[in-house]
Amino acid sequence: MTGIDPIEPAWPVASPVRALTTTRAGGVSEGPWASLNLGTACGDAPAAVAENRRRLTESLPSAPCWLRQVHGCRLIHARDWVEGIEADAIWTDQPEQVCAILSADCLPVLIADREGEWVAAVHAGWRGLAAGILERVVDSLPSRPSSMVAWIGPSIGSQAYEVDAPVRNAMLALDSALAGCFEATRSGHWEADLQAMAWQRLSVSGVDDIVDAKLCTASDAARFYSHRRDQGRSGRQATLIWLEPGV
């Protein structure tokens, strides 16, 4: 990937599984979107995003299946993908189908069968977590949870993510045990640990093998876009996963 500086998960999966998260390096976008912005709905020049996506695709087995993410909990199979489809999770058991999600603070979560039978990519902000997206995805995939491995990619860290009562209440309505993922800051506000929430929801679903990249988007402006840090004028990095054929 010439000029692109991806992060590859370090997780215990079989060799057919390939995955990466892009950083800001290697694109043509300018200003707050510099340089490898891959999001089409964040204010960047369409031609620049198209070129960035072209550069990324050059080193992939196929063009990524980009989703129209809506902070929901819909999972689709890559065979059912069409341009513009609304979903926040995608999986495949077919070689060379590239599952992709975009993020700029929300959690990119990859889930794979440990033996490399299938792979999935999930976009999980607090709304998706509150809607139960991780539990729904785990329940829908064709393996026992004990055979799954999950990777939590670059996302906003708790020290940079203060939320108000409606967010906290939505999470506690899902599971009161999530109270431990919030730390009070000032009246009616808390630091929220999205990574800990995701870990808890995956564990509750029966996934025991979880790896957290421990990379904060908000605190690393050189490598990552952050919607919160940049007050909405931000690009998007991509997290992608696929299966290599005949490995």
Side-chain angles (χ1 to χ4, degrees):
M1 290 188 177
T2 305
I4 296 175
D5 184 27
I7 294 165
E8 297 187 12
W11 58 336
V13 292
S15 56
V17 178
R18 295 289 309 279
L20 62 90
T21 292
T22 62
T23 62
R24 299 182 69 150
V28 299
S29 294
E30 299 179 347
W33 305 281
S35 67
L36 191 70
N37 168 46
L38 297 162
T40 59
C42 53
D44 195 4
V49 179
E51 173 60 16
N52 292 341
R53 288 187 171 191
R54 186 197 66 78
R55 291 185 179 197
L56 174 63
T57 301
E58 277 186 336
S59 299
L60 299 174
S62 63
C65 297
W66 302 109
L67 304 176
R68 184 169 181 266
Q69 298 166 192
V70 294
H71 298 279
C73 55
R74 184 185 182 194
L75 168 70
I76 66 164
H77 192 286
R79 66 170 171 258
D80 299 319
W81 178 86
V82 292
E83 188 173 353
I85 193 168
E86 290 188 358
D88 284 87
I90 182 169
W91 76 282
T92 187
D93 52 3
Q94 299 301 307
E96 298 188 329
Q97 290 181 330
V98 181
C99 299
I101 58 135
L102 297 168
S103 63
D105 281 339
C106 290
L107 297 162
V109 180
L110 300 179
I111 305 175
D113 173 76
R114 185 176 287 104
E115 300 305 318
E117 296 296 323
W118 53 262
V119 293
V122 186
H123 166 251
W126 74 263
R127 291 180 180 85
L129 290 173
I133 188 170
L134 291 178
E135 301 95 300
R136 178 170 295 188
V137 168
V138 169
D139 186 57
S140 300
L141 292 170
S143 296
R144 297 186 306 275
S146 59
S147 299
M148 299 180 188
V149 183
W151 183 75
I152 302 170
S155 45
I156 193 166
S158 60
Q159 75 285 350
Y161 191 49
E162 186 181 63
V163 301
D164 57 11
V167 175
R168 183 173 182 270
N169 292 343
M171 298 309 305
L172 298 189
L174 177 67
D175 190 339
S176 61
L178 290 169
C181 300
F182 294 87
E183 184 174 341
T185 53
R186 54 195 171 98
S187 179
H189 291 78
W190 295 262
E191 287 183 351
D193 191 335
L194 287 176
Q195 295 83 5
M197 292 181 211
W199 194 294
Q200 193 259 17
R201 299 321 296 166
L202 289 165
S203 296
V204 165
S205 300
V207 180
D208 299 318
D209 208 340
I210 307 167
V211 177
D212 184 352
K214 298 186 183 299
L215 295 170
C216 173
T217 49
S219 63
D220 192 346
R223 285 203 294 174
F224 301 119
Y225 299 108
S226 168
H227 186 271
R228 173 70 65 101
R229 181 194 64 226
D230 298 330
Q231 300 180 331
R233 286 177 59 79
S234 170
R236 301 291 185 272
Q237 47 261 348
T239 298
L240 311 105
I241 191 166
W242 67 95
L243 295 169
E244 293 283 5
V247 178

